[in-house]
Amino acid sequence: MSVELAVEVLTAEAFAPFGDVIEASDAVRHFTINGGNTERFHDLARLEPGADGRVIVSIFRGLPRALPFTVSMMERHPRASQAFMPLGARPYLVVVAPPGEAPTAHTLRCFLAEAGQGVNYAPGTWHHPLLALQAVSDFLVLDRSGPGDNCDEVTLDPLAHIPAY
């Protein structure tokens, strides 16, 4: 038995309980700099490395996942935020649950992130690891380095199911 997840459009409003959407759009503060040659989309995510951490920059290379897909586990980073920005022009999926107690399949939400949309998970937000679609995909990742354990994992029972759409 599994719970079917609806795939939702990723918007800043819908994703707000889980963190920030990172994208260059008219909906965010932006202005021209560098003598009129560059448009700056300003302060798009609240990066939080925690009191004893520092922000690090990595590239994650994700293998594509086939749909339908079974969500059997979730993870969270209790000490800090974690931001993902795709480096290519492919959509990907984002599965999240609110911070707090371990999630169940019934508390999960699934978003379709379009090319050019990144996400920043707020500290403690439950999320599934990278769900690239279509092809191997690279993501710029901003997260925490520092002392202490910063990754909790849980197994879901029942499982969740993302249908082909």
Side-chain angles (χ1 to χ4, degrees):
M1 169 120 183
S2 66
V3 174
E4 187 164 294
L5 298 178
V7 178
E8 303 175 52
V9 173
L10 180 64
T11 65
E13 296 78 20
F15 197 73
F18 313 106
D20 309 298
V21 173
I22 303 169
E23 65 182 329
S25 78
D26 287 337
V28 300
R29 183 174 175 220
H30 59 101
F31 46 90
T32 304
I33 61 172
N34 297 338
N37 192 55
T38 303
E39 189 74 7
R40 178 178 177 148
F41 294 85
H42 185 71
D43 197 14
L44 300 177
R46 183 179 175 135
L47 301 177
E48 299 181 32
D52 55 354
R54 64 183 182 88
V55 175
I56 61 171
V57 177
S58 304
I59 293 178
F60 287 16
R61 180 164 290 155
L63 298 177
R65 308 290 184 128
L67 297 178
F69 180 79
T70 300
V71 178
S72 61
M73 63 82 67
M74 297 288 282
E75 67 178 31
R76 70 174 174 183
H77 306 286
R79 294 179 179 265
S81 61
Q82 187 178 45
F84 287 79
M85 190 67 200
L87 296 176
R90 289 183 209 81
Y92 63 101
L93 293 175
V94 176
V95 176
V96 290
E101 294 184 21
T104 68
H106 299 285
T107 61
L108 303 183
R109 291 181 67 186
C110 179
F111 295 96
L112 176 63
E114 295 293 343
Q117 286 186 308
V119 295
N120 179 50
Y121 300 119
T125 295
W126 291 98
H127 61 278
H128 191 277
L130 196 55
L131 290 168
L133 300 172
Q134 301 175 348
V136 173
S137 300
D138 288 348
F139 292 78
L140 185 71
V141 179
L142 304 166
D143 62 352
R144 175 188 187 273
S145 179
D149 186 20
N150 192 35
C151 187
D152 299 327
E153 293 183 1
V154 295
T155 301
L156 296 176
D157 184 20
L159 304 176
H161 176 78
I162 303 170
Y165 56 90

Coordinates of all heavy atoms in Angstrom, one line a residue, residues 10-21 99 109 111 120 122 125:
L10 N 5.7 24.4 -8.7 CA 6.5 25.0 -7.7 C 6.4 26.5 -7.8 O 6.7 27.2 -8.8 CB 8.0 24.6 -7.9 CG 9.0 25.2 -6.9 CD1 8.7 24.7 -5.5 CD2 10.4 24.9 -7.3
T11 N 5.8 27.1 -6.7 CA 5.7 28.6 -6.6 C 6.3 29.0 -5.2 O 6.3 28.2 -4.3 CB 4.2 29.1 -6.7 OG1 3.5 28.6 -5.6 CG2 3.6 28.6 -8.0
A12 N 6.7 30.2 -5.1 CA 7.2 30.7 -3.9 C 6.2 30.6 -2.8 O 6.5 30.3 -1.6 CB 7.6 32.2 -4.0
E13 N 4.9 30.9 -3.1 CA 3.9 30.8 -2.0 C 3.6 29.4 -1.6 O 3.5 29.2 -0.4 CB 2.5 31.4 -2.6 CG 2.6 32.9 -2.9 CD 3.3 33.2 -4.3 OE1 3.5 32.3 -5.1 OE2 3.8 34.3 -4.4
A14 N 3.5 28.5 -2.5 CA 3.3 27.1 -2.1 C 4.4 26.5 -1.4 O 4.2 25.6 -0.5 CB 2.9 26.3 -3.4
F15 N 5.6 26.9 -1.7 CA 6.8 26.3 -1.1 C 7.3 27.0 0.2 O 8.1 26.5 1.0 CB 8.0 26.3 -2.1 CG 9.1 25.4 -1.7 CD1 9.0 24.0 -1.9 CD2 10.3 25.9 -1.3 CE1 10.1 23.2 -1.5 CE2 11.4 25.1 -0.9 CZ 11.3 23.7 -1.1
A16 N 6.7 28.1 0.5 CA 7.1 28.9 1.7 C 7.2 28.2 3.0 O 8.1 28.4 3.8 CB 6.2 30.1 1.9
P17 N 6.3 27.2 3.3 CA 6.4 26.5 4.6 C 7.7 25.6 4.7 O 8.1 25.2 5.8 CB 5.2 25.6 4.6 CG 4.2 26.2 3.7 CD 5.1 26.8 2.6
F18 N 8.4 25.4 3.5 CA 9.5 24.5 3.5 C 10.9 25.3 3.2 O 11.9 24.7 3.4 CB 9.3 23.5 2.4 CG 8.0 22.9 2.5 CD1 7.0 23.2 1.5 CD2 7.6 22.0 3.5 CE1 5.8 22.6 1.6 CE2 6.4 21.4 3.5 CZ 5.4 21.8 2.6
G19 N 10.8 26.5 2.8 CA 12.0 27.3 2.5 C 11.7 28.3 1.4 O 10.6 28.9 1.3
D20 N 12.7 28.5 0.5 CA 12.6 29.5 -0.6 C 12.7 28.9 -1.9 O 13.4 27.9 -2.1 CB 13.8 30.5 -0.4 CG 14.0 31.0 1.0 OD1 13.1 31.7 1.5 OD2 15.0 30.8 1.6
V21 N 12.0 29.5 -2.9 CA 12.2 29.2 -4.3 C 13.2 30.2 -4.8 O 13.2 31.4 -4.6 CB 10.9 29.3 -5.1 CG1 11.2 29.2 -6.6 CG2 9.9 28.2 -4.7
P99 N 9.1 20.8 8.8 CA 10.0 20.5 9.9 C 9.2 20.0 11.1 O 8.0 20.2 11.2 CB 10.6 21.9 10.2 CG 10.3 22.8 9.1 CD 9.1 22.2 8.4
R109 N 4.6 16.6 0.2 CA 4.1 17.4 -0.9 C 5.2 17.2 -2.0 O 6.4 17.2 -1.7 CB 3.9 18.8 -0.6 CG 2.7 19.0 0.3 CD 2.4 20.4 0.6 NE 1.9 21.2 -0.5 CZ 1.7 22.5 -0.4 NH1 1.9 23.1 0.7 NH2 1.3 23.2 -1.5
F111 N 6.6 18.8 -5.7 CA 6.6 20.0 -6.6 C 7.4 19.7 -7.8 O 8.5 19.0 -7.7 CB 7.2 21.2 -5.9 CG 6.4 21.7 -4.7 CD1 6.7 21.3 -3.5 CD2 5.3 22.5 -4.9 CE1 6.0 21.8 -2.4 CE2 4.6 23.0 -3.9 CZ 4.9 22.6 -2.6
N120 N 15.6 26.3 -1.7 CA 16.4 26.4 -0.4 C 15.6 25.8 0.7 O 14.6 26.4 1.0 CB 16.8 27.8 -0.1 CG 17.6 28.0 1.1 OD1 18.6 27.2 1.3 ND2 17.2 28.8 2.0
A122 N 14.6 25.1 4.3 CA 14.9 25.8 5.6 C 15.4 24.7 6.6 O 15.2 23.5 6.4 CB 13.6 26.3 6.2
T125 N 13.7 21.1 7.5 CA 12.7 20.7 6.5 C 13.0 19.3 6.0 O 14.1 19.0 5.5 CB 12.6 21.7 5.4 OG1 12.2 22.9 5.9 CG2 11.7 21.2 4.3

